[in-house]
Amino acid sequence: MPAGGRQTSERNSWKDDADVVTTGKIFSDGVIDLVSSRDACRPRLLFWDGKRARVASRIQHHGVWYVAPQLHPSIGRVIRFPGDVNRSGSTTEFFADVVSLLQEYLALPRELAQQVALWMTSTWLADVVPSPPVLLISGPHMGRAIDLFQLLGCGSRRALSLTGINRTALVGLPMDLRPSLLINQPDLPQRMSRLLCACNHRGVNVPGKSGTVEEWVVSKAIFTGMAPSPGAWDVEALWISLPSAATGLRLDQQALARLAQDLQAKFQAFRLDWLSKAHEAGFSGSNLSFPESGLAQNLFTCVRHEPELIDLVNPLLCGLVEDAKVRQGLDPSLVVFEVLWEPAHQLPKLSVQKITEYLNLKLRIRGGRYEYSEEEVGWILKGHGFNRRRNGSGMVLRFSGDNTRLLHRLVRRFGLDLPELPGCADCAGPNTMVAQESV
C-alpha cells in the first residue's frame, strides 16, 4: 500500500486512548476500509494486511483504535458498502463479466460497455489517482440514464444518486466518505459544472461551513440530457451517448440488491489487491503512460497491475485520446485562438460580435451544435486575459502589443499548429517566448 496515503476522515480526541473515527485509511503495511453491517448507519471496519482480511467494529493498528463513523439515516439507507471480500476468479474475468452485464441489461455496444465498466472500476481508486475520471452521459431519454445509474449504483464505490444539486447542497454532503456521485440533472447550471471540474484535482479545496474547507475530489457520473454546453466541461471527461433501447432495466429491487452484493465484494477485492501490488511496486499514484491525456492516464492507472487487462483496454484508451483531440477541435476556448490568429496579423481590432460569428461558424463546420452567445465568448476572452474595450457599437478586442503577444503565448502553450506569418516578430521568436512562459 502506498505509504502516506490520504485518510478520508479522521477525528482525534485529546485523550491518548480515545477512538479515532475514520472512513478509511491507507498505511504502509495495511488498509482500513468500511464494510456493511446490520446497522446501516454504523458500518464495520475491515483491515487488510496484504494477505488476510479482518472485520470488526473496532480495529487497533499501531497502538491506535479506529472506529467507523455514525452515518445520517438518510445516507445509511442509500449508500452501499461491501459485505465481504470475494477474490474468486481473475480481474480480467471479472472485468469481462461487468462488460457482459452492461451489454445484457442495458443493450450497450461492447466498446461503450467497456468504457462504463472501466469508469466503474476507477471509482474504487478515486482516493489514489490524481483526478478521478468524470463520466458525462448524454441521451434523449432520462429513463435510460436512470437504468444506467441503478447499475452504476450496484458496482461503484459508495455511490450516491442525486438530483437538484447546487453548491449549498454539496457542502452538506459527507464528502469525507469519498462517495461516487451519480448526478441526474440535465439542467445543471454551467457555473456548477465548472466548479465540479475545477475541484476534481488533488489538493484543490472548496470553502465549506464555518470557515472550513472541503475536498470534492470524488468520482462523478452526470447525465447531461441532450443539449449540454460543451464549454462547461473540459476535454478530460469520459463522454458517452446512451443509445435507445426497446425495453427498460429488467431487474427488481431484490435482484439489484443481490447483484450489488456480488459486485461490491469483487470490486473490494480488486481494490485491496491493487493497493498491495502498488505497495510492492513502489507506485505513488502517478504514471507516464498516455502523457497527452490525463483521463487516459488515470484510467490506465486502474489496470496497470493487470497485464491481460492492459492488453484489453489499451486500444480503448488510445481511442479516448483520439476522441479528445477531436473534441479539442470543438473546444471554444481553443478554437477562439484560430479565429483571432489571422485578424491579429492583418487588422487593428475585431468586435466581439464578429469573433462570436466566426467562432460559431467554425464549430458548425466541424459538427458542433451548440451556439455560443456574444456574452459567453466575452467571458472566454476575459478568462484568457485578453483586454477588451467598449466603443459605440459594443465590445472590441484591439490587437495591441499586449493582446497580440498574449495570443502567441497561448497558441504555443496549448500546442496549436497555426501558420507562422511572415514579418511577425512574435511568430519569429517561439523559443524565447516559450522559455519565458515556462519560468
Side-chain angles (χ1 to χ4, degrees):
M1 280 56 62
R6 182 189 184 279
Q7 91 190 47
T8 54
S9 175
E10 191 172 282
R11 183 171 70 246
N12 289 287
S13 169
W14 61 272
K15 296 181 180 180
D16 291 339
D17 59 349
D19 291 340
V20 174
V21 179
T22 184
T23 63
K25 187 169 176 63
I26 301 173
F27 302 96
S28 60
D29 59 349
V31 177
I32 288 180
D33 220 332
L34 298 180
V35 292
S36 63
S37 72
R38 293 182 178 179
D39 181 355
C41 297
R42 175 70 78 165
R44 295 175 298 168
L45 294 181
L46 174 148
F47 180 76
W48 171 255
D49 63 6
K51 296 180 180 179
R52 292 175 297 275
R54 175 164 54 94
V55 175
S57 58
R58 297 171 73 235
I59 286 180
Q60 186 182 43
H61 189 62
H62 295 317
V64 178
W65 282 100
Y66 294 92
V67 296
Q70 180 75 32
L71 304 181
H72 190 278
S74 64
I75 298 294
R77 282 196 303 268
V78 297
I79 200 166
R80 287 188 170 107
F81 298 101
D84 56 8
V85 179
N86 184 346
R87 305 184 68 198
S88 62
S90 69
T91 301
T92 303
E93 292 170 340
F94 175 49
F95 184 83
D97 289 342
V98 175
V99 171
S100 297
L101 181 149
L102 292 166
Q103 289 181 284
E104 177 183 356
Y105 290 115
L106 294 176
L108 297 184
R110 179 171 178 78
E111 183 174 336
L112 192 60
Q114 288 177 332
Q115 292 181 13
V116 174
L118 191 54
W119 180 84
M120 199 185 301
T121 302
S122 75
T123 68
W124 291 85
L125 299 172
D127 57 340
V128 176
V129 297
S131 178
V134 175
L135 177 65
L136 298 179
I137 306 152
S138 64
H141 305 297
M142 183 177 290
R144 290 282 284 156
I146 292 173
D147 288 346
L148 173 59
F149 278 0
Q150 288 198 73
L151 289 185
L152 291 180
C154 290
S156 302
R157 188 173 189 243
R158 304 177 184 178
L160 282 178
S161 292
L162 303 169
T163 191
I165 68 164
N166 53 35
R167 192 183 182 286
T168 302
L170 285 179
V171 167
L173 289 178
M175 287 296 190
D176 54 351
L177 283 173
R178 289 217 181 268
S180 299
L181 303 182
L182 311 181
I183 302 172
N184 180 14
Q185 193 164 339
D187 60 347
L188 187 68
Q190 189 176 81
R191 191 172 180 178
M192 192 70 223
S193 304
R194 287 173 174 161
L195 175 60
L196 290 174
C197 264
C199 71
N200 202 44
H201 301 274
R202 198 78 58 211
V204 177
N205 296 305
V206 178
K209 297 179 179 178
S210 305
T212 62
V213 295
E214 299 179 355
E215 197 175 73
W216 292 1
V217 188
V218 298
S219 297
K220 306 172 186 77
I222 303 171
F223 177 59
T224 63
M226 279 300 291
S229 166
W233 300 96
D234 65 21
V235 297
E236 292 301 295
L238 182 57
W239 295 71
I240 68 168
S241 179
L242 277 180
S244 300
T247 59
L249 188 64
R250 302 181 306 277
L251 290 171
D252 59 23
Q253 290 305 307
Q254 289 184 336
L256 285 170
R258 290 192 298 269
L259 178 62
Q261 185 177 22
D262 180 57
L263 291 178
Q264 293 281 314
K266 290 180 177 178
F267 270 121
Q268 181 69 60
F270 161 79
R271 170 179 167 82
L272 297 177
D273 286 343
W274 190 100
L275 291 171
S276 295
K277 292 172 182 176
H279 174 63
E280 293 169 2
F283 178 63
S284 63
S286 60
N287 66 82
L288 299 179
S289 302
F290 300 97
E292 65 274 66
S293 170
L295 171 64
Q297 277 189 16
N298 288 318
L299 290 172
F300 178 81
T301 295
C302 302
V303 301
R304 62 174 291 116
H305 304 301
E306 303 291 337
E308 293 183 8
L309 203 49
I310 289 176
D311 292 339
L312 180 65
V313 304
N314 254 342
L316 182 68
L317 298 180
C318 290
L320 292 179
V321 172
E322 292 304 313
D323 289 345
K325 291 178 180 177
V326 172
R327 192 165 286 113
Q328 179 176 309
L330 294 171
D331 184 346
S333 64
L334 299 181
V335 178
V336 74
F337 301 144
E338 301 178 43
V339 171
L340 297 177
W341 189 248
E342 287 194 15
H345 292 84
Q346 299 172 1
L347 301 175
K349 62 184 179 181
L350 192 63
S351 70
V352 175
Q353 179 184 359
K354 284 294 183 184
I355 295 172
T356 303
E357 291 176 7
Y358 296 153
L359 174 68
N360 284 324
L361 177 60
K362 275 187 176 291
L363 293 175
R364 281 198 300 272
I365 291 172
R366 296 174 182 179
R369 293 176 299 196
Y370 186 80
E371 192 84 5
Y372 286 89
S373 68
E374 191 173 332
E375 181 183 10
E376 288 175 306
V377 173
W379 279 107
I380 290 172
L381 293 170
K382 182 179 179 180
H384 284 312
F386 288 107
N387 185 19
R388 299 161 297 141
R389 296 289 185 216
R390 183 178 294 278
N391 64 14
S393 59
M395 298 299 290
V396 171
L397 180 66
R398 296 186 180 276
F399 295 117
S400 62
D402 288 344
N403 278 338
T404 303
R405 283 190 291 272
L406 174 61
L407 174 61
H408 283 76
R409 286 200 299 271
L410 291 171
V411 165
R412 291 181 184 117
R413 180 191 300 171
F414 288 100
L416 301 183
D417 186 18
L418 297 179
E420 180 179 324
L421 298 179
C424 176
D426 293 322
C427 286
N431 293 333
T432 302
M433 299 292 288
V434 171
Q436 291 175 348
E437 191 66 23
S438 62
V439 171

